[in-house]
């Protein structure tokens, strides 16, 4: 991951523990991905639920790093959105925070 955004110069690296919320997002996205893929395998191939879930988890593993990065990006967008909303309510500049 880049240290800063090349377009807006947003610093991606935050304080320690900042991306803890991204882990929850990643977990939710992983569950949706695995459940959807297992359901698709079960419906199309008529495998047992156990075999479908195990296969879905194995097929999910190569996508795990991409989902983790995507979750971090979503977390930053959420944080920026809340900070900008909060600063607009207080009528202060985001640079003053």
């Amino acid at each position: 991951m880049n240290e800063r955004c090349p377009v807006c110069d947003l610093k991606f690296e935050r304080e320690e523990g900042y991306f803890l919320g991204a882990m929850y997002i990643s977990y939710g996205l992983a569950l949706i991905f695995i459940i959807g893929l297992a359901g698709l395998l079960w419906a199309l191939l008529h495998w047992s639920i156990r075999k479908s879930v195990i296969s879905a988890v194995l097929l999910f593993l190569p996508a795990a790093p991409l989902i983790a990065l995507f979750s971090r990006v979503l977390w930053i967008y959420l944080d920026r959105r809340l900070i900008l909303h909060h600063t607009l309510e207080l009528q202060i500049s985001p640079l003053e925070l």
Side-chain angles (χ1 to χ4, degrees):
M1 188 169 188
N2 295 333
E3 184 178 333
R4 291 189 172 272
C5 176
V7 176
C8 67
D9 202 39
L10 172 68
K11 183 178 177 185
F12 290 132
E13 292 298 324
R14 303 292 188 176
E15 66 271 3
E16 191 172 326
Y18 174 79
F19 288 107
L20 182 63
M23 289 175 29
Y24 293 110
I25 294 173
S26 179
Y27 179 72
L29 290 175
L31 278 179
I32 291 169
F33 186 88
I34 291 170
I35 290 170
L37 189 56
L40 191 65
L41 290 172
W42 178 75
L44 294 178
L45 301 176
H46 304 291
W47 288 348
S48 68
I49 293 293
R50 178 179 288 167
K51 186 175 181 179
S52 297
V53 170
I54 290 171
S55 298
V57 169
L58 292 176
L59 290 171
F60 164 75
L61 289 177
L66 294 174
I67 289 180
L69 285 176
F70 183 64
S71 299
R72 290 178 75 158
V73 170
L74 286 176
W75 185 249
I76 287 176
Y77 277 126
L78 179 65
D79 181 53
R80 297 294 293 171
R81 177 71 175 163
L82 292 176
I83 285 176
L84 289 177
H85 179 71
H86 181 69
T87 57
L88 288 177
E89 283 181 355
L90 298 175
Q91 295 183 356
I92 58 174
S93 168
L95 299 175
E96 293 176 15
L97 293 178

